[in-house]
Amino acid sequence: MPSLFPVPTARRIDRQRLLSVALIPFAAAIAMASTVAATGFTASPLGEANSTLGFLLDFVKFCYLAVAMAHLSGAIADHTCGSLAAGLSMDEYDAPEPVSKDEFWRAFPNHVDGAAIAGAVTLLSVIASSLVG
């Protein structure tokens, strides 16, 4: 029975992309939160003071929301603009050969996977910050 929406299968896991979606935004959120906390300003613009965990969760939401939007816009641009091969570099002489469009979309995480992962972490951060209050 053919399905209306076939689910593609990943042929390989791209560790570098998985790190850029899952761990690097978290490290950036911790670095930004600790830098701002070191300056002594940890109140929101609305005048509400957050706890330390709430303050960190605000930065986690910000970083993962930015990653989700970047991957979502990448997926939209890929489908509307005819797709450029991934891996293009500013230095065309030292750049590795770009992967093909099919190979890019067969790896996990692709743009849609990255947007879903980052969106899920953002949602979990929103839920956690409402519980921390």
Side-chain angles (χ1 to χ4, degrees), residues 28-78:
I30 290 174
M32 289 184 346
S34 60
T35 302
V36 172
T39 64
F41 180 73
T42 59
S44 71
L46 298 176
E48 301 170 355
N50 287 333
S51 66
T52 306
L53 183 58
F55 185 69
L56 177 63
L57 286 171
D58 286 342
F59 278 98
V60 170
K61 286 187 285 191
F62 172 75
C63 288
Y64 280 100
L65 188 60
V67 169
M69 291 298 102
H71 280 283
L72 187 60
S73 63
I76 292 169
D78 185 62

Side-chain angles (χ1 to χ4, degrees), residues 7-127:
V7 177
T9 58
R11 294 184 182 160
R12 65 184 176 85
I13 295 175
D14 190 341
R15 289 184 207 115
Q16 185 177 5
R17 269 193 261 161
L18 190 56
L19 281 174
S20 73
V21 170
L23 295 178
I24 293 173
F26 186 71
I30 290 174
M32 289 184 346
S34 60
T35 302
V36 172
T39 64
F41 180 73
T42 59
S44 71
L46 298 176
E48 301 170 355
N50 287 333
S51 66
T52 306
L53 183 58
F55 185 69
L56 177 63
L57 286 171
D58 286 342
F59 278 98
V60 170
K61 286 187 285 191
F62 172 75
C63 288
Y64 280 100
L65 188 60
V67 169
M69 291 298 102
H71 280 283
L72 187 60
S73 63
I76 292 169
D78 185 62
H79 284 288
T80 58
C81 298
S83 179
L84 290 173
L88 295 177
S89 173
M90 296 299 285
D91 186 7
E92 60 193 45
Y93 298 110
D94 293 334
E97 191 67 27
V99 296
S100 68
K101 175 185 175 184
D102 291 332
E103 186 179 341
F104 178 79
W105 283 102
R106 296 282 185 221
F108 175 81
N110 58 37
H111 284 310
V112 176
D113 298 330
I117 291 168
V121 175
T122 303
L123 181 62
L124 290 175
S125 298
V126 168
I127 292 169

